[in-house]
Amino acid sequence: MNAPIPQPRSTPQFYLQSMLAFAVSSAGSGVGIVFLPVDLWMRAFLGMSLLFVITSTFTLAKCVRDRQEDTAMAEQAQYYQQLPIWQGDQQVQPRS
């Protein structure tokens, strides 16, 4: 039995699209906050809010990724627990 080969979760095009969407939305929100016709303290509050949303989004994405990796590792461990253990009294078959 061979171990399953992991497949990539997303394509490079999807990764690029995600990066571009993040950059455009962050830059657009930042420019909108800078040129908003309100007092400086209001713009500072909106800028801090945008920064908090971005950092919490990264944290949430990391937590989701970690949970998926934990699930994959648990499945992998279950797979290896089901493999027979060589007892030493059998001949080892050469792989072809």
Side-chain angles (χ1 to χ4, degrees):
M1 255 194 229
N2 292 336
I5 299 171
Q7 298 295 322
R9 295 182 189 162
S10 62
T11 63
Q13 293 83 6
F14 180 73
Y15 184 73
L16 177 65
Q17 177 188 355
S18 300
M19 295 291 286
L20 289 174
F22 173 76
V24 168
S25 64
S26 297
S29 298
V31 168
I33 290 172
V34 167
F35 290 110
L36 195 64
V38 293
D39 293 338
L40 179 62
W41 70 271
M42 289 178 153
R43 281 187 285 196
F45 174 77
L46 292 173
M48 291 291 290
S49 299
L50 177 64
L51 182 64
F52 181 69
V53 167
I54 289 172
T55 57
S56 62
T57 302
F58 279 118
T59 304
L60 177 62
K62 182 190 176 308
C63 291
V64 169
R65 183 201 64 203
D66 290 347
R67 182 174 284 177
Q68 287 176 342
E69 287 179 354
D70 290 344
T71 302
M73 289 299 144
E75 290 173 2
Q76 192 78 5
Q78 185 71 24
Y79 169 76
Y80 282 114
Q81 285 178 351
Q82 294 173 358
L83 289 177
I85 298 175
W86 182 62
Q87 299 295 327
D89 56 349
Q90 303 168 355
Q91 282 287 18
V92 178
Q93 299 294 328
R95 290 188 176 191
S96 54

